[in-house]
Amino acid sequence: MRSKARESAFKVIFASEFAEDNECRRAVYRAAELNDEEKDYADKLVSLVAEHRAELSAVLDKHAIGFSERRMFPVDRSILLMALAEIFYVNDVPSVVSIDEAVGLVKKYSTEKSAGFVNGVLAAVIAGDKNEHID
């Protein structure tokens, strides 16, 4: 159930790289045929990324060695930001689920090399910063 919500949230986060547009959000949710619970979860992820963007970006920069956030493919960056928001701020989802879902989305929307990159960055976060509190 949350997989569709995550995919929709990713699409909205990705689109926001270029422009904020609530009609885009509604269109993405409508196309994915999200129910109200899925819409709420997708909205939660989108809001968490927007609210904590600076902290999440700092975590990415710390763990994506030699590859600053601004140099990442927008697809990869959007998925990483969403996964990090879920890992740090959604307590009822195990980190391994967030990583698995992120890697699945990257495989679908990016490259095979990106899948390894995303997996590595998120695994490094889990091994390090997950136990630290970020604000």
Side-chain angles (χ1 to χ4, degrees):
M1 171 180 65
R2 286 186 170 173
S3 293
K4 282 184 9 181
R6 283 183 191 94
E7 185 170 0
S8 296
F10 148 68
K11 289 177 180 179
V12 172
I13 293 164
F14 176 76
S16 72
E17 293 271 332
F18 307 100
E20 288 291 324
D21 184 356
N22 284 329
E23 184 53 40
C24 173
R25 183 184 300 213
R26 287 189 292 274
V28 167
Y29 293 178
R30 193 171 36 252
E33 298 178 350
L34 299 184
N35 63 35
D36 288 341
E37 188 176 341
E38 291 166 329
K39 287 177 193 173
D40 290 344
Y41 193 72
D43 282 340
K44 179 178 185 174
L45 292 175
V46 171
S47 295
L48 285 169
V49 169
E51 181 181 345
H52 299 284
R53 178 66 189 251
E55 303 94 78
L56 298 172
S57 293
V59 170
L60 275 183
D61 283 340
K62 179 179 178 182
H63 292 285
I65 308 296
F67 221 91
S68 69
E69 181 208 354
R70 70 181 187 282
R71 289 187 54 224
M72 292 177 195
F73 295 138
V75 168
D76 299 350
R77 179 176 48 242
S78 298
I79 291 170
L80 280 164
L81 289 168
M82 181 183 69
L84 289 173
E86 191 171 50
I87 288 166
F88 283 107
Y89 302 109
V90 180
N91 296 325
D92 67 336
V93 176
S95 298
V96 295
V97 172
S98 298
I99 292 171
D100 186 57
E101 292 282 333
V103 170
L105 286 169
V106 168
K107 284 180 179 178
K108 183 173 181 178
Y109 291 101
S110 195
T111 68
E112 190 62 38
K113 285 184 181 181
S114 290
F117 172 72
V118 166
N119 187 55
V121 170
L122 294 175
V125 169
I126 298 304
D129 281 345
K130 176 63 172 107
N131 296 320
E132 299 174 19
H133 180 71
I134 63 171
D135 292 315

